[in-house]
Amino acid sequence: MSTVLITGANRGLGLGLAKAYLEDGCDVVALVRQASPELTGLGCAALDIRECTLTDDWELGAVADSLADRTIDVLINNAGRMAKVEGLARADQLQGFGHFNRELWHDVFDINLFTPMRLAELLVEQVARAERGRIVTLSSMLGSMALNDSGGLYAYRASKAGVNAIMKSMAMDLAEQGVIAIAMHPGWVRTDMGGSKATFDIDTSVRGMQAVIERLSFEDSGKLLSHDGSELPW
Ligand SMILES: NC(=O)c1ccc[n+]([C@@H]2O[C@H](COP(=O)([O-])OP(=O)(O)OC[C@H]3O[C@@H](n4cnc5c(N)ncnc54)[C@H](OP(=O)(O)O)[C@@H]3O)[C@@H](O)[C@H]2O)c1
């Protein structure tokens, strides 16, 4: 039976992934800062909920130590934030030019970029133990330079471009340990982050991502893949 560790599994895509993997008979470790009623409501023996501050390296280290004997088939770095600033005009709410805020940028980079990096370091042995260990980080097509045709969203785009860069390096650095590393675009999905006008519902995105993750091979390692399996340019 496979074990999947998912960060931010308390709502949105993370919760959808947790539900889907449990339905498929996997063991799920849900790493969240606070468990939601929806997550605890899934309660079953296969679900292991761990609460911790995901941006605190000491707390992440303690969780990793407690999982030292486990095998993790798939580590999914899902938790992330867009950094919306309420009270500004729409384009500026999402970090438009002229609204640089160092503290906000730090918060966005902390969870979108620093946590995936640190968690991969802390859990690589558990992932390497799996027959086909995979590290999947939820990035976004908004982190692609080639696909940026509308500007704006500075902090979010930069954090996702950064996470794309670390996944590319991990693909090379972890190949010898037998670990596949990719960045994944989930599509534009109707969650708190994606909003109600987004293209896909959570189930469509999640089932697509699962299918992509299931068939990952070393040829895919280091790529930015969409939930429909297509490769996106950097
Ligand atoms: N939805 C889309 O259209 C879309 C498109 C491209 C990429 N993505 C990416 O997909 C991932 C999931 O997005 P989503 O749409 O499900 O977003 P969401 O509904 O806003 O959920 C975000 C999740 O991340 C967690 N999180 C955020 N900041 C955190 C922090 N500092 N510490 C711990 N947990 C934190 C949240 O936990 P709390 O409940 O504790 O806040 C929540 O579980 C993100 O990485 C996002 O960038 C989404």
Side-chain angles (χ1 to χ4, degrees):
M1 185 176 307
S2 294
T3 297
V4 184
L5 186 147
I6 306 165
T7 65
N10 53 314
R11 62 185 168 99
L13 287 165
L15 178 65
L17 284 161
K19 272 185 196 167
Y21 277 111
L22 286 171
E23 276 169 23
D24 291 356
C26 297
D27 285 335
V28 170
V29 182
L31 198 52
V32 294
R33 58 180 162 186
Q34 191 170 19
S36 61
E38 291 80 6
L39 179 64
T40 49
L42 299 177
C44 59
L47 175 62
D48 177 359
I49 301 173
R50 307 292 181 102
E51 286 185 345
C52 83
T53 306
L54 269 79
T55 49
D56 182 304
D57 290 335
W58 188 88
E59 288 194 34
L60 288 178
V63 171
D65 285 349
S66 72
L67 295 169
D69 297 335
R70 301 278 290 269
T71 296
I72 297 174
D73 295 270
V74 189
L75 161 59
I76 305 183
N77 289 302
N78 161 80
R81 64 172 289 185
M82 177 67 98
K84 209 170 168 186
V85 184
E86 301 298 342
L88 293 176
R90 200 182 172 285
D92 297 335
Q93 274 189 350
L94 300 175
Q95 317 130 35
F97 187 83
H99 291 278
F100 177 72
N101 176 322
R102 194 174 295 271
E103 201 179 333
L104 183 66
W105 274 64
H106 187 274
D107 287 351
V108 174
F109 272 58
D110 218 359
I111 189 67
N112 290 7
L113 178 59
F114 303 158
T115 296
M117 179 71 212
R118 186 60 189 138
L119 212 46
E121 286 184 344
L122 287 167
L123 294 174
V124 69
E125 281 179 31
Q126 289 89 325
V127 177
R129 235 173 251 150
E131 202 174 302
R132 187 168 47 102
R134 287 146 284 172
I135 302 178
V136 176
T137 298
L138 283 244
S139 177
S140 171
M141 63 180 286
L142 292 172
S144 163
M145 287 347 140
L147 299 176
N148 185 352
D149 58 2
S150 58
L153 293 163
Y154 286 86
Y156 186 74
R157 282 190 194 280
S159 70
K160 295 299 189 182
V163 96
N164 289 347
I166 69 170
M167 297 317 290
K168 177 83 181 176
S169 278
M170 273 187 221
M172 291 178 254
D173 294 338
L174 306 186
E176 254 183 41
Q177 286 168 266
V179 173
I180 297 167
I182 64 150
M184 169 87 79
H185 170 59
W188 186 25
V189 189
R190 293 190 289 278
T191 62
D192 291 340
M193 186 188 292
S196 58
K197 292 187 182 141
T199 314
F200 300 106
D201 61 24
I202 290 177
D203 198 50
T204 304
S205 168
V206 160
R207 288 299 179 187
M209 287 194 283
Q210 276 188 305
V212 175
I213 292 167
E214 185 47 41
R215 55 176 187 261
L216 283 178
S217 71
F218 279 97
E219 281 183 11
D220 301 310
S221 203
K223 290 181 178 172
L224 169 60
L225 297 176
S226 187
H227 72 292
D228 60 7
S230 57
E231 183 180 358
L232 301 179
W234 296 121

